Amino acid sequence: MSVLVVFGLAVVPGFYLLPGISRLKIVILDGETANPGDNPWTPLEALGQVTVYPQTQPDELLSRAKDADILLTNKVIVSAASLNQLPALKFIAITATGVNVVDCRAAASRGVLVSHVPSYSTDSVAQHVFTGLLSLLNRPEMHYQAILQGEWERSGNFSFWQVPQVELAGKTMGIVGMGRIGRAVAKIADALGMHVVANSRSPAEPLKYAGFRWLDWETLLATADVISLHCPQTDANSGFVNQQSLSMMKPTAILVNTARGGLVNELDLASALNSGGIAGAFLDVVSVEPIARDNPLLGARNCLITPHLGWATIEARRRLLQVTYQNVAAFINGTPINLV
């Protein structure tokens, strides 16, 4: 009998520790998200009978998942009502860090285990924070388009710019939420010569950066030149970036959100941008994704939006699938990991 090693876990093809199961049915509900064609699901095929759907609409969930032993989802919501209609289901692997797409309490009550991927995109998201921030400040694409249109030539000068150029060194980066990504952002900010301050629900030892301080929310708003959000969204903080908090920020400050769109009251942010209440915003997430055409931030002054792609580097997506494979294989071997 041959033994397959999948990312360090020994799996015997066709043999599973779960009683009464000879060949598990594995259904991937939105496989196109992590694998648009460059990141194959192939290793999972050694673990069971795999069916991959590029995307799944809410009304398609039950018909596609009805016989699944194992379900993989990234953004497709698996509710308590859905779980009650999936009697074969034994395990859900969330292909993400956040777990709000699955009713985990309902899953537990039914004996369905749920795993997630605790960390895979830390460096990619931290990089994207500064990709957006520097693009917003220095506008390289705008200047390249101006060159193509002949504006540099017409200026008659060796140097040409359309917006004031800003240096980050000496500015203060305020980080809200100091998990893995927040700390990675702090490291880059410090390397760029920025002062780092932070707000956290559970502040620990100060970070070893010169001048680092834990600040309360109000003091951070008034202090930071750049505020970068890296906290999970909860009932308590939904929409906490609102008219009141925005009015406490410096008029020269920039808001960065690569966490969750629902942290921000988008109408209040659009108003603050258009009135000059703050200088700009870079957002990789919005409240409804894909973005609705009536979102007030579309066309707002000095607002740069990217389509939730900070996590999506090929390196991060390969790590995502690697840990997902490990989660599924560990469950099959009777030693589940990364449970929520």
Side-chain angles (χ1 to χ4, degrees), residues 38 70 259 266 281 324:
D38 58 356
I70 295 175
E266 293 170 336
T324 299

Side-chain angles (χ1 to χ4, degrees), residues 36-57:
D38 58 356
N39 195 23
W41 294 98
T42 309
L44 274 179
E45 295 171 3
L47 306 180
Q49 177 186 331
V50 177
T51 303
V52 182
Y53 296 102
Q55 300 290 340
T56 294
Q57 299 303 315

Side-chain angles (χ1 to χ4, degrees), residues 232-256:
Q233 183 181 346
T234 66
D235 291 340
N237 67 9
S238 292
F240 79 141
V241 177
N242 53 26
Q243 190 277 330
Q244 180 180 4
S245 55
L246 289 162
S247 69
M248 300 173 70
M249 293 172 61
K250 298 177 181 180
T252 54
I254 291 174
L255 175 72
V256 177

Side-chain angles (χ1 to χ4, degrees), residues 124-172:
S124 294
V125 175
Q127 173 181 305
H128 196 60
V129 167
F130 289 92
T131 297
L133 177 59
L134 292 168
S135 294
L136 186 66
L137 290 175
N138 301 119
R139 298 299 179 102
E141 288 290 334
M142 172 195 291
H143 288 93
Y144 179 57
Q145 291 302 317
I147 290 171
L148 294 179
Q149 294 163 13
E151 294 188 37
W152 189 9
E153 291 175 80
R154 289 192 292 273
S155 75
N157 293 316
F158 83 95
S159 180
F160 163 78
W161 60 88
Q162 291 188 318
V163 295
Q165 298 296 285
V166 178
E167 183 176 83
L168 286 177
K171 303 290 192 302
T172 297

Side-chain angles (χ1 to χ4, degrees), residues 269-283:
L269 176 57
S271 177
L273 290 167
N274 291 331
S275 67
I278 66 171
F282 167 59
L283 312 168

